[in-house]
Amino acid sequence: EGEVLHALEGCVAGGELLHARLEVVDIIPTKLKPVKKELHALTSVIGDTCELAENVSRKVRALDLVKERVGQTLSSVQSIMDVRNCMHGVEAAIGREQYEEACEHIRRYRHVDPHVLERDAKEKLERAQGRVHSMVLERFERAVDEGDPEQIRRFCRLLVPLGYADEGRKRFCDSVAGQVRHFAEQNHRALRLALDEAAG
């Protein structure tokens, strides 16, 4: 009987504990309702933030595309201005016989994006390039005839910015070979005269 009584007392105490726990469980839903509302509000804010971030990202991509197009347009405008400056610069430099300056303008023209060149401007610059090339070759030939090594080097170097680097090297080598041949022929004649005088 003592054991049963003890067991009953344990059950009653356990029931009170269970009743206390059940009261807590009854209180939890009422306490969770505000938390649930806050979670819904937070979820809504997070969703709005994600949508806003996506919109901002889309606009940034669009701005990057516009920035790239503006950069391309500015590059095209700069190229067109360079072409016009080259056309005027070449003519002015030729008039002053400033061949280095004329060749520099031609070099700049040769590096302009061909897509921005108008047909008329391209033809004018190609004619100017041909004129400068002819003038440089003419001055080169005069320097060779006069035996002026400084002017020979000068005009051979000018063929490089005109796009004729190989021709410039070949002409320079040919002129050096001609000078060596002329020097050898003079020395050969002098040596022959000296030998003829010694023999005779």
Side-chain angles (χ1 to χ4, degrees):
E1 195 178 298
E3 283 181 17
V4 172
L5 203 57
H6 185 30
L8 280 174
E9 286 175 358
C11 281
V12 169
E16 289 173 5
L17 182 63
L18 183 61
H19 182 66
R21 286 188 178 166
L22 286 175
E23 284 178 0
V24 169
V25 169
D26 284 341
I27 295 173
I28 288 177
T30 57
K31 288 191 176 186
L32 285 180
K33 280 184 183 180
V35 171
K36 185 178 178 183
K37 284 182 182 178
E38 287 181 26
L39 280 176
H40 282 298
L42 185 59
T43 302
S44 176
V45 168
I46 289 173
D48 291 345
T49 303
C50 287
E51 187 177 332
L52 179 64
E54 182 60 37
N55 288 337
V56 168
S57 177
R58 191 175 318 113
K59 288 179 181 178
V60 166
R61 285 191 299 271
L63 285 174
D64 282 345
L65 184 61
V66 168
K67 179 183 174 187
E68 182 180 331
R69 287 181 182 158
V70 166
Q72 290 170 346
T73 302
L74 288 175
S75 177
S76 294
V77 168
Q78 183 63 44
S79 293
I80 290 168
M81 290 174 58
D82 280 348
V83 167
R84 287 190 180 144
N85 289 338
C86 285
M87 288 189 317
H88 297 298
V90 168
E91 293 301 322
I94 288 173
R96 295 187 317 268
E97 294 189 5
Q98 296 291 320
Y99 300 110
E100 286 80 4
E101 185 181 335
C103 289
E104 179 59 24
H105 285 296
I106 297 295
R107 184 197 64 76
R108 282 184 30 225
Y109 148 71
R110 292 178 62 241
H111 289 91
V112 169
D113 181 4
H115 296 98
V116 301
L117 288 175
E118 297 168 354
R119 184 176 170 179
D120 184 47
K122 183 177 180 180
E123 289 172 359
K124 284 181 182 177
L125 282 167
E126 286 175 353
R127 279 195 305 270
Q129 180 177 2
R131 275 182 58 210
V132 173
H133 181 241
S134 296
M135 294 171 96
V136 166
L137 290 180
E138 181 184 314
R139 298 309 189 280
F140 170 78
E141 293 300 332
R142 186 183 304 161
V144 169
D145 292 343
E146 294 171 358
D148 187 344
E150 184 178 316
Q151 291 298 311
I152 290 172
R153 280 192 300 276
R154 174 187 177 202
F155 288 107
C156 279
R157 273 190 233 123
L158 291 179
L159 291 170
V160 174
L162 292 175
Y164 299 99
D166 290 339
E167 180 182 357
R169 280 190 290 274
K170 182 181 181 323
R171 285 182 180 272
F172 182 75
C173 289
D174 289 347
S175 78
V176 169
Q179 289 172 358
V180 168
R181 187 172 36 255
H182 179 69
F183 180 73
E185 287 171 359
Q186 283 181 332
N187 283 338
H188 183 262
R189 276 194 299 270
L191 182 61
R192 187 179 238 172
L193 281 174
L195 288 174
D196 285 347
E197 287 176 6

